[in-house]
Amino acid sequence: LQVIENIKISSVDSVADKDELIVEASHLFARNDQYAEVIERGIREREKLAGTYVSTFQMLFLHCKTKAVTHCRFGYISLKNPLVLEEGVILGAIVMLIPDDPDEQRVYQEVMSEVSGTMAENEMVIVDLINKKRNDVSFELEKGLGNYYQRIMKGYGE
């Protein structure tokens, strides 16, 4: 529920490069500049492991574990003026943050994995993000997470 209730979609006129887009993404869920710096470091560390450009959707998939959030967070930053890089054209960035909490890590990862799976299986989620239709994104993710919870509850009953 925290993911669904806190979806954020933001627009930025333009960014000069990928670094500037990461800075924008870092501020999407940050309570202040210090938290934004923590999120930015996490995204940059994750970015070092592997590039996060998704050519099919022309967007970056910026994500990390961070102590700067207490619940899973999902958002999108739309670029009014696309960014053109060697990888290709970037229309925006999906931002997914997971709390860095060892006690709940498995649950957080499962929830966000389900969100990613919903996006992969239902292209309308991406279209709705690009068109900044927050309510439609919320509805589709809610369906996906509802199916996930039904599977979990069914497992508890067996």
Side-chain angles (χ1 to χ4, degrees):
L1 287 175
Q2 287 289 331
V3 174
I4 302 298
E5 291 173 358
N6 292 289
I7 293 172
K8 285 189 180 178
I9 299 177
S10 175
S11 291
V12 174
D13 287 333
S14 64
V15 292
D17 52 27
K18 190 183 336 186
D19 284 337
E20 208 172 296
L21 183 54
I22 289 172
V23 170
E24 291 291 337
S26 301
H27 283 87
L28 191 61
F29 293 105
R31 288 180 258 172
N32 58 41
D33 288 342
Q34 289 174 315
Y35 283 98
E37 288 174 16
V38 171
I39 293 168
E40 182 181 341
R41 275 195 305 273
I43 289 173
R44 288 188 192 285
E45 287 299 315
R46 175 59 188 87
E47 191 75 14
K48 286 179 188 174
L49 298 176
T52 58
Y53 179 66
V54 182
S55 59
T56 311
F57 302 119
Q58 296 182 304
M59 60 181 60
L60 294 180
F61 180 56
L62 303 174
H63 59 290
C64 69
K65 295 177 204 169
T66 178
K67 297 226 181 262
V69 296
T70 56
H71 298 286
C72 295
R73 295 291 182 245
F74 176 83
Y76 180 71
I77 296 178
S78 171
L79 295 175
K80 292 179 183 174
N81 298 306
L83 177 61
V84 181
L85 299 175
E86 280 184 35
E87 300 105 300
V89 175
I90 297 175
L91 301 176
I94 291 173
V95 182
M96 291 176 56
L97 305 175
I98 298 173
D100 191 2
D101 178 353
D103 295 335
E104 300 292 333
Q105 201 68 54
R106 188 183 61 78
V107 173
Y108 292 142
Q109 287 176 329
E110 285 179 13
V111 167
M112 293 313 260
S113 177
E114 196 64 35
V115 168
S116 296
T118 299
M119 287 189 301
E121 293 171 11
N122 184 348
E123 196 171 306
M124 280 309 297
V125 175
I126 302 296
V127 171
D128 290 337
L129 282 171
I130 291 169
N131 292 317
K132 299 181 217 92
K133 295 182 176 180
R134 187 198 177 284
N135 289 340
D136 293 346
V137 171
S138 179
F139 177 74
E140 293 301 328
L141 293 182
E142 190 172 345
K143 283 194 314 191
L145 288 171
N147 293 334
Y148 165 71
Y149 286 118
Q150 283 179 347
R151 288 193 309 273
I152 286 176
M153 296 312 288
K154 188 176 181 182
Y156 283 131
E158 295 176 356

